[in-house]
Amino acid sequence: MTSAHSKLYSNDVSLVVVVVDTNPFFWAAAALPFADFFANLVHFVNSLLLLNHLNRVVVIAAGVSSCAYIFDSSDASPAGGVGVTATFDKASRKVEEFIAQDARATAGNGSVASANAASLLSGALSLALCYIQRIFRSGTRHPQPRGSPDGPEQYVAVMNSIFSAQRSMVPIDSCIVGTQDSAFLQQASYITGGVYLKPQELNGLFQYLAAVFATDLHSRTFLRLPKTLGVDFRASCFCHKKTIDMGYVCSVCLSIFCKNQKKCSTCGSEFSRVMPDLNSMPDQSK
């Protein structure tokens, strides 16, 4: 008999969906230029495809106002590395076109055209999960799924994507090249069993990608991979889309609010009990 665990890892083919943050406001102040980062990404993708000719890699670009597919290894020539290189040259042009298109869309939307604008992470995660489910339901083969400042207004959509990934057993790996940690990605990696890594030396980015993120799910059981220390589990309120430490939760739909509400704006439930104001409560830590 074959156990469920061995069945899960009997196939060492991997499906890797890479979400690239192309937020120009972030990369303008980043220590690593976007061109150098993209060059490391090219080597990482090529190394994944060389590990197994059946591996599939998809790259999704996430901008401020939009997200789109920019590379799919299944469209590459079966001849080998030359076809992949030629396809990725096209992807380089696609990402440049995407950045320009997203910049025009962002400029037309004055509400997000600022240095603190967050990338459309929720949309990119949704595209990635939809692609993975499409491969699963095609029935042809079942590879092992792998998977800027946070936008509090995307909290619900991002958490829905995270729980969908968890239910589908799709780990979300996160590689942070900025100075600040991402609470969204910390929770995503922790909940789905992925890896959250913030490289200390960006000059060796490819070594981090190859040693940590290129390993398949079966090999990870034999490796001691980096673990997230101190996950930020704070939620965002549904009323003002701000990250809060304490708040009010609707007992019917579990919506979160930073202030006491007489009626839930999500499900319409009315609250007859008067709750104390959290801002007027004494600090319990003292």
Side-chain angles (χ1 to χ4, degrees), residues 26-38 40 177 202-203 205:
F26 164 76
W27 288 107
L32 182 69
F34 181 77
D36 295 343
F37 167 79
F38 198 77
N40 283 278
V177 297
L202 294 179
N203 292 331
L205 180 60

Side-chain angles (χ1 to χ4, degrees), residues 214-229:
T215 54
D216 58 75
L217 299 184
H218 180 57
S219 300
R220 291 186 179 191
T221 59
F222 305 98
L223 300 175
R224 180 174 294 180
L225 297 175
K227 295 183 179 180
T228 305
L229 300 177

Side-chain angles (χ1 to χ4, degrees), residues 55-69:
N55 284 349
R56 178 177 293 186
V57 182
V58 177
V59 180
I60 298 176
V64 177
S65 303
S66 59
C67 52
Y69 296 100

Side-chain angles (χ1 to χ4, degrees), residues 2-14 52 54 142-144 216-219:
T2 304
S3 65
H5 184 273
S6 59
K7 285 183 178 179
L8 180 62
Y9 298 114
S10 59
N11 187 359
D12 62 352
V13 179
S14 294
N52 191 326
L54 293 178
H142 297 277
Q144 301 170 13
D216 58 75
L217 299 184
H218 180 57
S219 300

Side-chain angles (χ1 to χ4, degrees), residues 124-141:
L125 287 177
S126 298
L127 280 180
L129 290 172
C130 288
Y131 186 94
I132 292 172
Q133 289 298 326
R134 187 176 65 185
I135 297 299
F136 279 179
R137 296 178 182 181
S138 64
T140 54
R141 54 195 178 111

Side-chain angles (χ1 to χ4, degrees), residues 137 179 200:
R137 296 178 182 181
T179 56
Q200 298 180 355

Side-chain angles (χ1 to χ4, degrees), residues 89-116:
D89 288 339
K90 295 180 180 179
S92 300
R93 293 191 294 270
K94 281 187 177 181
V95 73
E96 293 177 358
E97 295 174 357
F98 171 81
I99 293 175
Q101 181 179 359
D102 186 70
R104 291 192 294 268
T106 304
N109 187 356
S111 60
V112 297
S114 65
N116 295 325

